[in-house]
Each structure stands twice: as C-alpha cells, then as structure tokens.
Amino acid sequence: MKLKEIMELLDATLLCGEDKLDMEVEGAFASDFMSDILAYVSDQKLLLTGMINPQVIRTAEMVDMHFILFVRGKMPDANMLALAEDSDIAVLSTKKLMYTSCGLLYKNGVR
Amino acid sequence: MADIVFEYQVDGSDYHRAGEASRSTKSNLKKLGFPSDIIRRVGICMYEGEINMVIHADGGVAKVVIGLDDITIILKDKGPGIPNIDLAMQEGWSTADAQANDLGFGAGMGLPNMKRCSDEMNIDTVVGEGTTVTMKIKTK
C-alpha cells in the first residue's frame, strides 16, 4: 500500500513527510518498547506506536524506518517533528487503537 | 592510514537528548560510505549503550574508532557498575527506573541487543567505580 492509502484507511493525519505519500509501504512493526523495535525490526519501514517521546524517532532512525504512525490519537510535539524531518521520516497520527490499526493494515496486505 | 576517532560526551541529565551521539555516528559512517547493514549494527549497539549510560550511569564518554578492518565503540561511565553481568545479560532483566520505562526502555533487552549486533563485546565493570563497554563490529 502507498502511504497515502494507509492515511485514508486509518483516517490518519499527516504531520510531516508529504514527499513520501506516494511511497510503497510493504511491511510494518508495532510496539511501545524501543528495545523490541531495535531487536526485531528487519526490513519493515512503518512503525506503529503509542509511545510519544523523541526516542521513538531516534529508534526508528536506527533501524532505517521511513514512516511512523502514532496510534490512540497521540500527537508529537514540534521538537519531535523537527527531529523526524531531519531524519527524513514521515509522521502520521490516527485516533484508532494499535490493535485496530494493525488489523486493518494486515487485512489490506501490509505484513 | 591512521584510525578515525569520534568522541562524544553523553549528557546524563537529559533523557530526551539521549541518542544524539549515536545519530551523529550514524551520519558520519554514512558520509564515510560504509554499507547500510554495518551502519545499522553500529547504530543499534551504540544507541542501546548510550541509553544505558543515561539511564544507569548519569552519562559518560562514547568513543568510536574506525580502523581498517573494524569499528570499535567504547562507552565509558562512572556509574554504579554492574554487580552481576550474567544476570544483566539475561533478556528481560532490568534495574531501570520508571522514567526509563516512560521512554520505552528498561525492558531488559539493551545488553542482549548490543551483544547480538556486535562481533565482540566486552564489559569491564567495577561496582561503585564504573563500567566500560567495548564493542567491535567487523567491516571486512
């Protein structure tokens, strides 16, 4: 799925990274534990998390992820968005829960 | 050719800034043209180590030495030391506080992650004096 399709599917708001809307998202990983992300992400490029602090951006950058989707309506602050832009990572936010978001993505082919 | 060395002071007082040395290292390695899998392993090792220094040891000094055949990361702190390294290496074992948990760390995966992503890892620790973690990632 393209990022813009994911945005529509999850009724998400794009907070930065407009240039990535047409990029294909093939794999995703969901966790609130940063070390689990560092340990288990192989080549998934989309991170779903409800954790909200700058370490989320740094963690995603360390494992070369391109997209972060904050679930449960979590909204990053301006500093986090500046960090994400600097790290070339697109950031979205959805009000949907983690479980629902993962289910919808999986059902629509993002594995 | 002489080794290339990057050295960083890791500020232990600000949890939100933890990881800046790792970001800078990753960016430097990219500029030097290392393959992405090597950069990723160095990044994970250093980032977990940097977070540990902030969570447990009030910061310290991080040094990255780029040699001909490998990259060595040396993380030196003057923290409380690790009383039982075997226990600390077990997945899920952690002494991290609530503030670390709030940031998504402290699940007891840091040291195992560092060992997994490095080719060699050595922990030199003295209780009450500090810890030096040395990790080597082969580049050839």
Side-chain angles (χ1 to χ4, degrees):
Chain A
M1 283 190 99
K2 284 189 168 40
L3 186 65
K4 63 182 178 192
E5 293 168 328
I6 289 176
M7 222 177 118
E8 284 165 24
L9 179 71
L10 300 179
D11 203 11
T13 309
L14 182 77
L15 302 171
C16 76
E18 207 170 334
D19 57 315
K20 295 188 177 53
L21 281 173
D22 281 316
M23 277 176 76
E24 202 65 40
V25 182
E26 282 165 3
F29 187 88
S31 180
D32 287 350
F33 282 116
M34 299 302 109
S35 287
D36 280 357
I37 298 165
L38 294 166
Y40 297 116
V41 167
S42 47
D43 55 1
Q44 300 93 329
K45 297 297 178 199
L46 168 67
L47 171 66
L48 290 90
T49 187
M51 181 61 78
I52 194 114
N53 66 63
Q55 300 309 337
V56 175
I57 315 283
R58 295 206 177 96
T59 299
E61 185 185 6
M62 287 303 149
V63 288
D64 305 315
M65 294 182 112
H66 296 153
F67 323 97
I68 299 173
L69 174 73
F70 289 104
V71 296
R72 307 192 285 271
K74 298 287 167 73
M75 291 296 267
D77 63 17
N79 285 340
M80 283 180 68
L81 288 178
L83 193 60
E85 275 184 8
D86 199 38
S87 307
D88 204 24
I89 292 172
V91 177
L92 302 98
S93 178
T94 178
K95 287 189 175 141
K96 293 193 190 307
L97 302 179
M98 176 93 95
Y99 182 78
T100 314
S101 304
C102 290
L104 285 168
L105 285 173
Y106 199 88
K107 192 180 161 193
N108 283 276
V110 180
R111 301 292 158 92
Chain B
M1 194 180 80
D3 291 346
I4 301 171
V5 181
F6 300 109
E7 196 168 306
Y8 307 89
Q9 291 292 327
V10 177
D11 181 357
S13 65
D14 189 351
Y15 274 30
H16 284 93
R17 284 183 58 203
E20 283 185 359
S22 307
R23 275 195 87 205
S24 169
T25 297
K26 203 167 165 159
S27 160
N28 285 334
L29 294 178
K30 263 184 205 164
K31 282 179 202 152
L32 288 166
F34 282 98
S36 59
D37 60 319
I38 297 282
I39 298 176
R40 182 181 166 129
R41 286 169 61 206
V42 171
I44 292 174
C45 286
M46 189 161 169
Y47 183 53
E48 288 278 21
E50 198 182 341
I51 292 286
N52 274 349
M53 286 169 102
V54 174
I55 291 174
H56 298 288
D58 198 25
V61 178
K63 201 167 162 182
V64 181
V65 182
I66 300 163
L68 275 180
D69 300 324
D70 50 42
I71 297 170
T72 307
I73 306 161
I74 304 155
L75 306 169
K76 193 175 175 63
D77 70 58
K78 290 181 180 165
I82 305 169
N84 186 333
I85 294 180
D86 289 341
L87 208 53
M89 287 303 300
Q90 279 183 24
E91 285 188 10
W93 171 261
S94 177
T95 58
D97 61 10
Q99 204 176 355
N101 294 145
D102 286 347
L103 288 180
F105 287 95
M109 292 293 286
L111 285 174
N113 268 357
M114 288 153 71
K115 190 169 176 62
R116 187 178 51 84
C117 286
S118 57
D119 290 305
E120 285 172 37
M121 182 166 103
N122 182 58
I123 303 174
D124 186 10
T125 186
V126 178
V127 172
E129 289 184 19
T131 302
T132 300
V133 180
T134 307
M135 291 167 284
K136 212 178 262 293
I137 287 110
K138 289 178 187 162
T139 51
K140 280 185 183 167

